[in-house]
């Protein structure tokens, strides 16, 4: 078997230093195009594959950043046999009442932002999801494979994050910083929901239903705080609160049972609001003529619903990017004080509550 080419072979063929080869492979946009093309041509010609182990030993780095999300999709029905690889074709009639609930557009957008920023900075991104008791084991495992870890708030116990942070930097997503020592990246939840609720009141609503999210969600707690702040001192408005779970299915279930209708239904996230719109359509209730509906997140599906969803747009892609930026800043200066970055939000008016 022929000897595997080394970084020295690539540098010699390209006529550059081994440092230039490393920069091209880690952060190609930081190198002049002519130099980059010479190095990449040498890599292709020689069949060179960088050794992650060698890089890690030399720099005490893996050049990998971890991103950990909770597993929200239902895996109860996934334990049976896999679909047979028969190559067949079947035809089914779609039942709108049984649509899948596995999509989480918020995570998709945050992930996209994290992947973009990691790539720009020369890092690979390792993504993991944990369910139930497996979360702690998975976090411990991924922490041993990465240079830094970004996690969604309340996904794992603070004690475990404190343990992990002794080895690598940790950034917490979707929660403002409290008394912990982690860097935090979040959005302006409370003022955003307050502004949305004030808009609903100005539109004439005098009875409101607020569909909240899970009780352990920091985002939901801050949004509920903003909702209540908008109503502070306004005794003329009737208010009811029902606890949801951020899913479209639960939003639909709640809305199908609402009687009598309030003037407006304010939802803690867009998925819930889209479920409410589903139910209103099924009940032949006009939105916004009979009831106004609002959401929070700004996912793309809200632009294509009927009617289009009024919402508070949060910069989900930028949230993912900011988490990676916070980690790389911590790599450069491990001793700096813990920071909390709060990104702005925007109230977006559409037909569901114009």
């Amino acid at each position: 078997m022929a000897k595997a080419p080394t970084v020295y072979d690539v540098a010699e063929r390209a006529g550059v230093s081994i440092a230039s080869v490393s920069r091209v492979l880690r952060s190609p946009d930081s190198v002049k195009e002519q130099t980059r093309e010479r190095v990449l041509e040498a890599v292709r010609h020689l069949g060179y594959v960088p050794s992650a182990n060698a890089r890690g030993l030399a720099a005490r780095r893996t050049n990998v950043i971890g991103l950990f999300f909770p597993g929200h999709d239902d895996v109860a029905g996934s334990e049976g046999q896999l679909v047979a690889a028969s190559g067949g074709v079947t035809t089914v009639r779609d039942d709108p009442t049984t649509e899948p609930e596995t999509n989480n557009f918020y995570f998709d957008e945050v992930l996209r932002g994290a992947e973009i920023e990691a790539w720009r900075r020369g890092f690979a991104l390792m993504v993991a999801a944990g369910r139930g008791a497996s979360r702690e084991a998975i976090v411990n495992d991924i922490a041993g494979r990465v240079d830094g870890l970004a996690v969604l708030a309340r996904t794992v116990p603070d004690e475990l994050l404190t343990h992990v942070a002794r080895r690598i930097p940790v950034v917490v997503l979707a929660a403002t910083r409290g008394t912990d020592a982690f860097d935090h990246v979040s959005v302006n939840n409370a003022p955003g929901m307050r502004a949305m609720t004030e808009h609903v009141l100005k539109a004439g609503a005098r009875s409101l239903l607020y569909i909240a999210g899970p009780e352990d969600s920091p985002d939901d707690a801050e949004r509920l705080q903003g909702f209540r702040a908008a109503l502070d001192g306004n005794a003329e408005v009737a208010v009811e609160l029902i606890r949801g779970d951020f899913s479209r299915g639960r939003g639909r279930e709640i809305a199908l049972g609402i009687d009598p209708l309030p003037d407006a239904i304010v939802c803690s996230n867009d998925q819930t609001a889209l479920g409410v719109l589903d139910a209103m359509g099924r009940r032949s209730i006009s939105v916004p003529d009979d009831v106004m509906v609002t959401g929070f997140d700004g996912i793309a599906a809200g632009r294509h619903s009927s009617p289009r969803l009024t919402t508070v747009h949060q910069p989900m892609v930028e949230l993912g990017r900011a988490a990676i930026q916070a980690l790389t800043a911590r790599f450069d200066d491990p001793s700096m004080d813990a920071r909390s970055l709060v990104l702005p939000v925007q109230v977006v008016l559409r037909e569901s509550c114009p």
Side-chain angles (χ1 to χ4, degrees):
M1 182 178 294
K3 179 184 175 182
T6 67
V7 67
Y8 298 98
D9 298 325
V10 174
E12 181 179 1
R13 179 175 178 84
V16 299
S17 67
I18 59 171
S20 294
V21 174
S22 297
R23 282 197 298 273
V24 169
L25 296 176
R26 288 190 54 194
S27 186
D29 288 346
S30 68
V31 182
K32 291 181 179 179
E33 182 179 1
Q34 185 178 9
T35 301
R36 182 171 68 242
E37 288 304 319
R38 289 208 313 272
V39 171
L40 293 177
E41 188 280 329
V43 167
R44 288 191 293 267
H45 178 83
L46 295 170
Y48 172 69
V49 177
S51 169
N53 289 336
R55 288 200 308 268
L57 288 172
R60 296 184 180 272
R61 288 277 184 90
T62 64
N63 293 323
V64 179
I65 289 175
L67 181 62
F68 185 80
F69 285 144
H72 280 306
D73 53 318
D74 181 13
V75 296
S78 65
E79 297 176 356
Q81 291 184 343
L82 295 175
V83 175
S86 63
V89 177
T90 60
T91 300
V92 298
R93 190 171 299 280
D94 183 43
D95 181 354
T97 66
T98 59
E99 63 185 87
E101 303 293 344
T102 57
N103 292 327
N104 194 307
F105 300 107
Y106 169 84
F107 290 162
D108 292 345
E109 292 295 282
V110 173
L111 173 59
R112 187 160 68 93
E115 189 279 327
I116 289 170
E117 193 63 25
W119 172 80
R120 289 183 65 235
R121 293 172 180 267
F123 288 87
L125 189 67
M126 179 183 292
V127 183
R131 299 172 178 84
S134 70
R135 291 183 183 183
E136 295 191 25
I138 293 174
V139 168
N140 260 323
D141 182 61
I142 193 176
R145 303 167 182 259
V146 298
D147 295 329
L149 182 64
V151 300
L152 193 71
R154 307 275 179 94
T155 302
V156 293
D158 284 348
E159 298 79 23
L160 177 57
L161 290 185
T162 300
H163 172 72
V164 169
R166 293 173 183 167
R167 291 179 284 163
I168 59 172
V170 171
V171 169
V172 177
L173 285 159
T176 53
R177 184 169 171 265
T179 59
D180 61 67
F182 312 126
D183 294 319
H184 283 249
V185 180
S186 61
V187 301
N188 220 8
N189 281 303
M193 183 58 82
R194 178 171 184 166
M196 174 59 78
T197 307
E198 289 172 346
H199 167 73
V200 170
L201 295 174
K202 289 178 182 177
R206 289 299 174 264
S207 59
L208 304 181
L209 168 62
Y210 185 83
I211 304 181
E215 289 190 74
D216 63 351
S217 166
D219 276 342
D220 182 73
E222 292 174 4
R223 293 170 194 176
L224 181 56
Q225 178 186 2
F227 175 77
R228 287 172 169 160
L231 295 168
D232 189 31
N234 195 336
E236 298 178 359
V237 179
V239 178
E240 181 181 3
L241 186 148
I242 297 179
R243 183 67 65 178
D245 62 5
F246 280 163
S247 74
R248 188 167 185 162
R250 178 60 177 150
R252 186 187 308 115
E253 178 187 2
I254 291 171
L256 286 172
I258 296 172
D259 188 26
L261 283 175
D263 294 333
I265 302 174
V266 179
C267 301
S268 188
N269 78 330
D270 282 355
Q271 292 276 48
T272 300
L274 291 171
V276 171
L277 292 181
D278 292 341
M280 295 300 106
R282 194 176 301 176
R283 296 176 61 181
S284 300
I285 293 171
S286 175
V287 178
D289 296 334
D290 298 329
V291 60
M292 295 176 281
V293 179
T294 68
F296 197 116
D297 278 338
I299 62 176
R303 299 181 61 194
H304 305 291
S305 59
S306 182
R308 297 190 309 152
L309 180 64
T310 288
T311 188
V312 179
H313 177 267
Q314 62 165 315
M316 293 169 285
V317 171
E318 294 305 310
L319 192 66
R321 293 187 62 190
I324 302 303
Q325 291 171 5
L327 281 172
T328 56
R330 181 65 59 184
F331 297 159
D332 295 336
D333 186 0
S335 62
M336 68 179 177
D337 293 337
R339 301 185 303 169
S340 185
L341 177 64
V342 181
L343 304 183
V345 298
Q346 184 179 57
V347 176
V348 180
L349 304 181
R350 300 191 184 114
E351 290 78 12
S352 72
C353 184

